[in-house]
Amino acid sequence: MEIHHDKHHATYVANLNKAIENQSGLPEGNIEELLKNLETIPEAIRTAVRNNGGGHANHTLYWEILMPGGSKSPTGSLEKALQSEFGTLDKFTEQFSSAGLTRFGSGWAWLALDPMKKLKVYSTANQDSPISQADMPLLGMDVWEHAYYLKYQNRRADYIKAFMSVVNWDVVSKLYEAAMS
Ligand code: MN3
């Protein structure tokens, strides 16, 4: 986790800053604005922004939603919404885990809220962010090998199980409630 944060995430930030320095006319504001408006970004740096900006945003969420000993399961309105969308919480976990397990190569599994406020589970390739497809990410699981290789080697399924056991659902529930209000 230290290497993941201090080396991998830091590299995305450094490369994003390098790509956008001295650029004018970029979407104003924060990283979300860049990712939401990729098509308006000059072609010469668009891929760098997509990869490194996505890398930064995705990892920022990843660190926020993980906490050993955090709230173990969703509560309140998120719990109800997950049950209504997926049937049961176990079915949601199954679908989310499977999205991560079946993503070929590098990418992320997501629980995201679409513009119609519907919960969705899917995966993206590389560092592509749900924000770039107008969705709001609530829970993101890094399934790049760098996320698990040192501890789990090729056993992505074991990493996914461990990941699900340290999700801090308080944070995910708060993101959901803020987005719904
Ligand atoms: Mn990573």
Side-chain angles (χ1 to χ4, degrees):
M1 283 297 184
E2 261 173 51
I3 293 173
H4 196 176
H5 181 272
D6 295 354
K7 306 281 190 240
H8 290 281
H9 185 175
T11 302
Y12 295 120
V13 174
N15 287 339
L16 173 65
N17 285 332
K18 208 191 303 168
I20 62 176
E21 74 181 349
N22 304 322
Q23 290 283 333
S24 55
L26 291 176
E28 302 255 340
N30 49 22
I31 185 70
E32 282 78 17
E33 291 308 309
L34 287 176
L35 293 172
K36 244 182 241 172
N37 299 290
L38 281 179
E39 71 289 349
T40 69
I41 289 170
E43 226 178 314
I45 61 161
R46 195 180 301 153
T47 302
V49 170
R50 176 176 171 181
N51 290 340
N52 295 293
H56 172 45
N58 296 345
H59 286 88
T60 299
L61 178 67
Y62 185 77
W63 306 125
E64 278 169 11
I65 49 144
L66 292 181
M67 186 169 95
S71 170
K72 290 285 175 215
S73 58
T75 50
S77 58
L78 177 60
E79 179 184 17
K80 288 196 185 79
L82 286 167
Q83 283 165 340
S84 109
E85 195 56 47
F86 302 98
T88 63
L89 292 178
D90 283 350
K91 277 192 183 139
F92 156 74
T93 302
E94 212 173 281
Q95 211 171 308
F96 183 84
S97 302
S98 159
L101 199 58
T102 57
R103 162 52 55 186
F104 182 75
S106 296
W108 289 73
W110 298 104
L111 171 67
L113 203 55
D114 79 4
M116 308 299 291
K117 308 278 183 191
K118 187 177 153 68
L119 288 172
K120 285 179 164 175
V121 163
Y122 56 86
S123 70
T124 58
N126 305 313
Q127 293 295 349
D128 287 351
S129 164
I131 297 167
S132 300
Q133 51 187 76
D135 290 345
M136 184 192 165
L138 301 173
L139 175 65
M141 177 170 65
D142 191 343
V143 294
W144 283 55
E145 273 190 351
H146 73 223
Y148 60 87
Y149 203 82
L150 286 178
K151 184 154 183 197
Y152 298 100
Q153 293 80 47
N154 60 324
R155 302 185 310 276
R156 192 189 279 189
D158 290 354
Y159 156 74
I160 290 174
K161 221 170 168 186
F163 174 93
M164 293 311 290
S165 76
V166 290
V167 170
N168 184 4
W169 283 100
D170 274 348
V171 175
V172 183
S173 299
K174 282 200 180 103
L175 288 173
Y176 177 74
E177 279 155 27
M180 295 301 285
S181 69

